Amino acid sequence: MEVVVAAGQWVGAAVLVMSVTGLLRWAVSVVPIPVVKGIQLGAGLSLIIGAGTSLLQPLHWIHPVLDNRIWALFAFLVLIVTQRLPRFPYAFAFFILAIVFAIIAVLTSHHRLPSFHVWHPHLILPSWTGPHRDAPALWMAIGQLPLTTLNSIIAVTALAADLLPDLPTPSVTSIGMSVACMNFTGTWFGAMPVCHGAGGLAAQYRFGARSGASIIFLGLVKLVLGLVFGETLIDLLKLYPKSILGIMVLAAGLELAKVGHSLNKGAPDLWENAASDSFSGRVGRIHRDLGDEERLERWTVMLMTTAGILAFKNDAVGFVAGMLCHWAYKGSEWLNKRNRSRLLRGERAPLLSS
């Protein structure tokens, strides 16, 4: 646990430095939208695959009675039937049902129900070095940093703009500072390193959250439960039905993956400032039309990023693959423009051409 605490604090320190120095803002300016969309699509599909392989596939059809494929099928059917009913409290209804099932499972087993147990915090000191004088925490942080930066800061900011276009979008600097503060404070008292995941935001939006008040309420409920019941909640959470949890994770993944549809229509980089209105003085915005070739290029970059994430289960690999694909298209475009300009000047074009 001490090594995990140290790794979380390494990540927090790195994100803090990137936030204060403006590196995060620079990253947003240089990372193309198709790569960001690819990270979001990859994260969504990863959630869907994880829900299927880890939660739903191991289930049996009948046993156990309160956690099987029949319940998963029922939850899935209700999910798709209520897609156009935004006021239907799907998450709340199935959460209550799942808690009831978990309580019944606790009562019929050797586990214990939650009881009054005030949380007593104790300090956990980080372990910066391993038993062999190495630095496992640092290597863990280096492996986690690309995921935190790409999926939990850059992608989550873009997702907030996609899902809630009428509300102010938090800056990557504010998100980064939040991640750094969480990892610098909670880890000292045994909390796992945390971040703002795009999957979590997609799940909250899918199940009805539309303002900061909903997240504040959720946080207060979790805080009270942790302070009042403490570790006695563990047995109940262990028996939470995987059939219902799997469908909820699947729904969150679908919501996150759907943002890919706006890649070529409605993406932030496709809007341009138009001439200002002579009466009001306001600057309008127009949507740039794309040709078929540019649409295909953007789509390919997004899919290349997603493919790297899914194939290697690593956001950094997907990011590098998407950026290389993007630069390859830009390099080809530059060569074509150079050849055309030479032809106009009457010079002989080089043999290398795309």
Side-chain angles (χ1 to χ4, degrees):
M1 182 62 189
E2 292 80 4
V3 174
V4 176
V5 168
Q9 294 181 1
W10 272 119
V11 172
V15 171
L16 179 63
V17 170
M18 289 190 293
S19 301
V20 173
T21 58
L23 281 175
L24 287 177
R25 292 194 303 272
W26 173 82
V28 170
S29 65
V30 299
V31 177
I33 291 297
V35 173
V36 176
K37 294 284 188 183
I39 294 172
Q40 295 172 329
L41 178 59
L45 294 179
S46 296
L47 284 175
I48 295 171
I49 294 172
T53 57
S54 301
L55 297 173
L56 299 176
Q57 282 188 7
L59 295 175
H60 300 286
W61 279 106
I62 299 177
H63 299 288
V65 176
L66 298 180
D67 188 16
N68 52 51
R69 292 184 179 181
I70 294 178
W71 283 112
L73 180 60
F74 171 70
F76 178 73
L77 291 176
V78 176
L79 177 71
I80 60 176
V81 168
T82 59
Q83 285 184 106
R84 295 186 177 275
L85 301 176
R87 293 188 178 276
F88 181 78
Y90 178 90
F92 181 75
F94 276 91
F95 172 75
I96 296 298
L97 179 64
I99 288 296
V100 171
F101 285 177
I103 291 174
I104 295 174
V106 168
L107 293 175
T108 56
S109 64
H110 62 279
H111 296 84
R112 295 184 304 170
L113 285 173
S115 58
F116 183 75
H117 179 78
V118 178
W119 177 61
H120 299 287
H122 61 279
L123 193 65
I124 296 180
L125 298 178
S127 176
W128 304 106
T129 59
H132 305 292
R133 296 181 180 275
D134 54 357
L138 178 59
W139 290 110
M140 291 169 62
I142 292 174
Q144 176 64 29
L145 189 59
L147 176 63
T148 299
T149 305
L150 297 171
N151 183 55
S152 303
I153 298 178
I154 295 177
V156 79
T157 304
L159 181 63
D162 285 334
L163 297 180
L164 303 167
D166 298 327
L167 297 179
T169 301
S171 66
V172 290
T173 300
S174 62
I175 297 293
M177 295 291 290
S178 176
V179 170
C181 290
M182 288 190 297
N183 286 289
F184 274 136
T185 55
T187 52
W188 291 98
F189 303 101
M192 294 294 292
V194 292
C195 59
H196 298 287
L201 175 59
Q204 291 156 358
Y205 181 86
R206 173 61 181 82
F207 295 127
R210 293 296 184 273
S211 69
S214 58
I215 310 304
I216 293 174
F217 176 76
L218 176 63
L220 288 175
V221 170
K222 291 181 177 180
L223 182 63
V224 171
L225 288 175
L227 291 175
V228 174
F229 296 105
E231 296 181 356
T232 64
L233 285 167
I234 293 178
D235 285 346
L236 182 66
L237 296 178
K238 284 182 178 178
L239 295 176
Y240 192 95
K242 293 182 175 60
S243 53
I244 296 177
L245 178 61
I247 299 302
M248 287 186 169
V249 174
L250 184 144
L254 286 173
E255 190 66 35
L256 180 54
K258 283 195 304 184
V259 300
H261 84 280
S262 63
L263 173 66
N264 290 327
K265 187 175 182 181
D269 61 334
L270 298 180
W271 291 95
E272 299 175 339
N273 290 333
S276 60
D277 191 321
S278 58
F279 295 99
S280 64
R282 295 179 180 178
V283 178
R285 301 183 70 200
I286 58 174
H287 191 278
R288 182 166 64 89
D289 292 329
L290 299 178
D292 291 339
E293 185 176 354
E294 187 177 1
R295 288 175 180 273
L296 180 60
E297 289 180 3
R298 290 167 62 88
W299 186 256
T300 303
V301 171
M302 182 181 74
L303 291 184
M304 183 66 72
T305 306
T306 301
I309 293 173
L310 296 181
F312 294 91
K313 298 181 179 180
N314 190 308
D315 279 38
V317 174
F319 170 75
V320 171
M323 291 301 295
L324 289 175
C325 185
H326 170 75
W327 288 331
Y329 278 126
K330 292 300 180 182
S332 177
E333 181 181 351
W334 177 79
L335 285 175
N336 286 334
K337 288 182 179 179
R338 184 180 180 185
N339 289 340
R340 284 195 295 268
S341 64
R342 285 187 174 185
L343 289 173
L344 290 175
R345 295 196 303 265
E347 299 179 14
R348 182 178 179 181
L351 294 177
L352 178 61
S353 174
S354 61

